[in-house]
């Protein structure tokens, strides 16, 4: 049976295709495909749409990025394959630097990621030159390298689809961490200051739009955002959906 274009399943198949293309183009590694599979499962459980709770987190993230002194967007292979255009847009609106930061680092893959971002209009990409490499404490060697001009000296860091060890290390290093993570129970989701429980493909478009709107307004004091409470609501949505499916 053909799936209608408007059905959420069609979007999920389109996203999968983008990731496979990213894999063939050298942006994504095998492990990235598996991590995506985990994300897809949680996307199914949250109903493959952006919830009110996620909208709230997106608004808090937009405010934090716009108010930051040196915000940085950390980019891995999956994020670049799925959202290259939105990453560049977001960096321009919020004045954020873009840094390539990989779990499975390789010079070739860093270059491929930098290239796709440049193709989408990025001027400067950090994290590719060993000249500016610095180490964040409390992480094992290969994964602790960041750019001196980027994550190392940032106050706010957007790290989507990130591993828990890294998020914990960034928090210990004093960074304000924003993430996109479809799994509200992951260590990253639980450790970040602002967790957007949504697919990056849907959520980044909304984040860009909200930033555009807020950039025109005078930003008052940042309203308090309770990440733990927000995460509990996302877990509640999953519970509700499971109960509905079980009773159907
Ligand atoms: P943690 O290390 O934080 O405990 P994990 O080991 O389960 O989490 P990782 O592979 O380290 O997972 O990180 C990838 C995370 O990204 C997963 O939680 C996954 O659900 C999420 N994810 C995958 N694809 C997407 C996507 N397209 N949008 C948002 N989140 C995604
Ligand atoms: Mg992990």
């Amino acid at each position: 049976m053909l799936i209608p274009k408007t059905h959420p399943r069609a979007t999920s198949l389109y996203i999968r295709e983008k990731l496979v293309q990213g894999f063939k183009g050298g942006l994504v590694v095998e492990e990235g495909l598996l991590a995506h599979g985990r994300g897809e499962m949680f996307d199914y459980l949250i109903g493959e749409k952006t919830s009110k709770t996620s909208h709230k987190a997106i608004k808090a993230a937009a405010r934090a990025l716009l108010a930051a002194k040196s915000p940085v967007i950390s980019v891995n292979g999956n994020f670049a394959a799925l959202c290259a255009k939105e990453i560049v847009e977001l960096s321009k609106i919020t004045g954020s630097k873009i840094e390539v930061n990989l779990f499975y680092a390789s010079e070739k893959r860093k270059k491929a990621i930098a290239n796709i971002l440049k193709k989408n209009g990025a001027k400067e990409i950090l994290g590719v030159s060993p000249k500016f490499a610095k180490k964040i404490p409390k992480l094992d060697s290969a994964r602790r390298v960041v750019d001196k001009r980027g994550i190392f000296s940032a106050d706010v860091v957007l790290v989507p689809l990130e591993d828990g060890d890294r998020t914990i290390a960034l928090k210990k290093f004093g960074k304000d961490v924003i993430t996109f993570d479809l799994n509200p129970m992951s260590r990253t989701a639980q450790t970040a200051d602002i967790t957007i429980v949504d697919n990056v493909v849907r959520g980044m478009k909304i984040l860009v739009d909200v930033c555009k709107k807020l950039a025109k307004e005078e930003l008052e004091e940042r309203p308090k955002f309770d990440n733990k409470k927000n995460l509990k609501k996302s877990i509640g949505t999953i519970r509700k959906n499971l109960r509905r499916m079980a009773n159907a």
Side-chain angles (χ1 to χ4, degrees), residues 35-36 38-39 42 82 161-165 180-183 186-189 198-200:
H36 184 74
R38 173 140 37 193
F42 280 100
L82 295 176
L161 328 184
E162 186 53 279
D163 170 61
D165 288 342
F180 279 94
D181 197 324
L182 277 161
N183 176 7
S186 78
R187 288 173 311 147
T188 287
D198 198 10
N199 199 310
V200 269

Side-chain angles (χ1 to χ4, degrees), residues 135-173:
K135 287 169 183 168
I136 46 171
K138 300 193 172 74
L139 254 185
D140 60 57
S141 52
R143 295 157 51 202
R144 66 198 294 205
V145 179
V146 289
D147 195 302
K148 190 162 93 178
R149 306 157 298 168
I151 293 176
F152 191 82
S153 47
D155 52 351
V156 177
V157 193
L158 172 66
V159 280
L161 328 184
E162 186 53 279
D163 170 61
D165 288 342
R166 269 214 181 140
T167 310
I168 292 165
L170 285 174
K171 270 316 299 165
K172 283 193 181 146
F173 198 35

Side-chain angles (χ1 to χ4, degrees), residues 1-240:
M1 189 185 75
L2 264 177
I3 303 169
K5 267 195 177 138
T6 48
H7 193 281
R9 203 31 8 97
T11 314
S12 137
L13 290 176
Y14 161 78
I15 297 173
R16 195 181 282 184
E17 192 45 45
K18 271 193 110 170
L19 217 70
V20 170
Q21 277 169 18
F23 177 70
K24 289 180 180 161
L27 303 172
V28 173
V29 281
E30 284 94 339
E31 290 83 352
L33 297 177
L34 297 171
H36 184 74
R38 173 140 37 193
E40 273 189 357
M41 190 268 285
F42 280 100
D43 208 2
Y44 201 100
L45 292 176
I46 65 164
E48 289 170 304
K49 57 178 189 251
T50 311
S51 64
K52 266 195 197 154
T53 319
S54 304
H55 269 286
K56 212 169 156 185
I58 289 174
K59 237 176 158 175
R63 285 181 180 281
L65 285 169
L66 288 166
K69 282 198 180 70
S70 4
V72 173
I73 305 171
S74 175
V75 181
N76 63 16
N78 285 34
F79 193 30
L82 295 176
C83 301
K85 180 170 154 262
E86 290 77 16
I87 293 168
V88 179
E89 273 188 298
L90 186 67
S91 104
K92 287 186 177 160
I93 305 162
T94 59
S96 301
K97 292 174 181 162
I98 301 176
E99 176 168 340
V100 179
N101 202 265
L102 306 179
F103 193 98
Y104 301 99
S106 97
E107 295 311 312
K108 201 170 155 210
R109 200 153 74 88
K110 277 188 194 167
K111 278 210 184 97
I113 293 170
N115 280 345
I116 193 172
L117 294 168
K118 282 190 180 151
K119 250 192 206 156
N120 279 275
K123 296 269 173 298
E124 191 184 26
I125 309 290
L126 308 182
V128 278
S129 164
K131 210 168 96 193
F132 299 101
K134 270 272 198 189
K135 287 169 183 168
I136 46 171
K138 300 193 172 74
L139 254 185
D140 60 57
S141 52
R143 295 157 51 202
R144 66 198 294 205
V145 179
V146 289
D147 195 302
K148 190 162 93 178
R149 306 157 298 168
I151 293 176
F152 191 82
S153 47
D155 52 351
V156 177
V157 193
L158 172 66
V159 280
L161 328 184
E162 186 53 279
D163 170 61
D165 288 342
R166 269 214 181 140
T167 310
I168 292 165
L170 285 174
K171 270 316 299 165
K172 283 193 181 146
F173 198 35
K175 309 295 171 190
D176 238 340
V177 176
I178 303 169
T179 192
F180 279 94
D181 197 324
L182 277 161
N183 176 7
M185 289 162 279
S186 78
R187 288 173 311 147
T188 287
Q190 293 286 333
T191 311
D193 298 281
I194 301 172
T195 305
I196 303 162
V197 181
D198 198 10
N199 199 310
V200 269
V201 176
R202 289 190 302 268
M204 274 293 281
K205 286 191 172 64
I206 304 172
L207 181 58
V208 167
D209 286 346
V210 173
C211 283
K212 272 186 194 157
K213 201 168 140 262
L214 286 180
K216 291 189 194 129
E217 293 174 15
E218 194 69 35
L219 281 181
E220 349 76 72
E221 187 128 326
R222 219 162 112 188
K224 282 239 168 320
F225 176 76
D226 188 339
N227 204 41
K228 286 275 180 231
K229 194 167 142 195
N230 226 48
L231 284 169
K232 273 188 193 153
K233 282 194 185 160
S234 295
I235 295 168
T237 305
I238 293 177
R239 192 183 290 134
K240 213 167 68 196

